[in-house]
């Protein structure tokens, strides 16, 4: 496992702080008392989300952005408690062809004989992270949701610590390193997965 505190690591400076377990997935802190998560989650005021250190935050409001004729699969979540760590939003050019970190809570998977990532029947989500490579930027539609997405493909070996996403991984963060500051910033959220 990579050591995020090792200056020689490609993943130096990353932290799981600022990520919460939110019902059936994750949410990422983007400001004091503000989280971003998947729009398809049923989160309501009074629900709690749990940080990796066990701290709970209580949802006070949720906001789902509207676009003409459809929803974007994003939800802003406001919480009652102060949050002392959050991620800036990535606003540099799209990192096509670069490695990113995917982090949140999810189920452990296995590799099939065709080199595809398969998801286990486990009923317990755990904190996990892995890497992948951004291959494309395109619009995706799923039900009533239409979102601009960064596409990644699981090929078992394209990146060190390569990971794929599955059920329970929605709302987890996709983090890219800012080319100017070197800080890890929120590029997007896990939302859609397709088996090929």
């Amino acid at each position: 496992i990579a050591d995020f505190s090792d200056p020689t690591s490609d993943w130096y400076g990353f932290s799981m702080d600022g990520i919460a377990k939110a019902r059936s997935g994750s949410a990422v802190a983007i400001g004091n008392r503000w989280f971003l998560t998947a729009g398809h989650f049923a989160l309501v005021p009074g629900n709690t989300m749990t940080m990796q250190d066990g701290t709970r935050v209580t949802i006070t409001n949720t906001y789902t952005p509207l676009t003409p004729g459809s929803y974007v699969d994003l939800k802003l979540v406001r919480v009652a408690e102060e949050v002392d760590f959050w991620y800036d939003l990535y606003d540099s050019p799209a990192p096509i062809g670069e490695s990113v970190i995917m982090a949140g809570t999810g189920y452990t998977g296995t590799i099939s004989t065709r080199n595809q990532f398969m998801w286990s029947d486990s009923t317990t989500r755990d904190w996990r992270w892995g890497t992948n490579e951004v291959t494309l930027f395109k619009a995706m539609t799923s039900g009533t949701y239409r979102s601009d997405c960064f596409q990644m493909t699981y090929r078992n070996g394209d990146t060190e610590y390569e990971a794929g996403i599955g059920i329970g991984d929605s709302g987890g963060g996709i983090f890219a390193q800012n080319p100017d500051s070197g800080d890890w910033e929120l590029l997007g959220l896990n939302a859609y997965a397709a088996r090929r």
Side-chain angles (χ1 to χ4, degrees), residues 76-155:
L76 276 171
V77 179
R78 176 122 168 115
V79 299
E81 294 79 12
E82 296 273 330
V83 177
D84 58 8
F85 183 93
W86 57 82
Y87 301 91
D88 289 333
L89 300 179
Y90 188 89
D91 65 357
S92 297
I96 305 299
E98 295 182 27
S99 292
V100 295
I101 291 177
M102 300 164 23
T105 61
Y107 298 102
T108 301
T110 57
I111 309 303
S112 75
T113 55
R114 294 184 348 198
N115 250 7
Q116 289 181 309
F117 190 79
M118 305 300 286
W119 300 283
S120 72
D121 294 327
S122 169
T123 58
T124 304
R125 287 184 296 128
D126 200 0
W127 296 95
R128 64 191 188 102
W129 72 276
T131 62
N132 209 306
E133 180 181 287
V134 176
T135 57
L136 189 64
F137 181 69
K138 69 179 197 175
M140 293 285 293
T141 301
S142 177
T144 59
Y145 296 107
R146 180 174 173 79
S147 302
D148 291 331
C149 297
F150 290 97
Q151 179 177 297
M152 296 176 287
T153 304
Y154 185 84
R155 284 193 277 261

Side-chain angles (χ1 to χ4, degrees), residues 4-5 11-16 19 87 101-103 129 175 184:
F4 300 141
S5 64
W11 321 112
Y12 174 66
F14 181 71
S15 173
M16 294 287 283
I19 302 173
Y87 301 91
I101 291 177
M102 300 164 23
W129 72 276
F175 301 89
W184 289 95

Side-chain angles (χ1 to χ4, degrees), residues 28-93:
V28 178
I30 58 170
N32 188 18
R33 299 186 181 182
W34 288 100
F35 286 78
L36 191 61
T37 190
H40 61 264
F41 285 164
L43 297 173
V44 296
N47 286 165
T48 60
M49 301 187 301
T50 307
M51 309 301 287
Q52 189 179 25
D53 66 3
T55 303
R56 289 183 179 270
V57 291
T58 308
I59 297 170
T60 58
N61 296 90
T62 65
Y63 307 91
T64 302
L66 292 169
T67 57
S70 66
Y71 291 98
V72 175
D73 196 7
L74 293 173
K75 184 175 288 187
L76 276 171
V77 179
R78 176 122 168 115
V79 299
E81 294 79 12
E82 296 273 330
V83 177
D84 58 8
F85 183 93
W86 57 82
Y87 301 91
D88 289 333
L89 300 179
Y90 188 89
D91 65 357
S92 297

